[in-house]
Amino acid sequence: MGTISARVPDELEAELDAYLEDENLDRSTAVRKFLSEGLEEWRREQALDQLSAGKVTFSRAAELAGMSVWDFAQLARERDVTWVDADHVDDDLEAL
């Protein structure tokens, strides 16, 4: 396992300390949790952006997001992302 060290503003550290107390977590666990959640959200946004730009098929975007196609469809609907593209419909249907 690698090690990451970062300097943060005092306000952010105070907020983290409050979170640690509320959630009864140690600092390392909390930082790993936030990093994991942030990267998960980033992967989803990247997948939605690529889908919206027509760079990937719907099924590939779901894969990039680390989600099932059904969960990704719900996310795309929530974010109002249009994903039906005539060029990719056959590929998407085949993947399902």
Side-chain angles (χ1 to χ4, degrees):
M1 185 180 295
T3 300
I4 297 175
S5 177
R7 295 186 188 278
V8 296
D10 292 338
E11 301 83 28
L12 188 59
E13 185 176 20
E15 204 170 347
L16 177 61
D17 289 338
Y19 174 78
L20 296 175
E21 187 175 321
D22 284 351
E23 297 297 317
N24 196 29
L25 294 172
D26 64 89
R27 188 175 293 247
S28 292
T29 300
V31 170
R32 281 192 302 272
K33 179 180 176 189
F34 283 135
L35 184 58
S36 177
E37 289 172 356
L39 288 173
E40 182 178 298
E41 180 63 23
W42 177 79
R43 281 192 305 273
R44 290 177 180 183
E45 291 300 322
Q46 291 295 306
L48 287 168
D49 288 348
Q50 288 185 37
L51 177 65
S52 182
K55 294 180 180 178
V56 296
T57 65
F58 181 83
S59 56
R60 176 65 180 142
E63 183 181 321
L64 291 172
M67 301 174 75
S68 72
V69 291
W70 307 111
D71 289 340
F72 190 72
Q74 178 65 34
L75 178 66
R77 183 179 3 205
E78 290 169 0
R79 303 285 176 85
D80 198 29
V81 173
T82 302
W83 55 271
V84 177
D85 182 344
D87 295 337
H88 297 298
V89 170
D90 291 335
D91 292 337
D92 286 335
L93 290 173
E94 186 176 311
L96 293 175

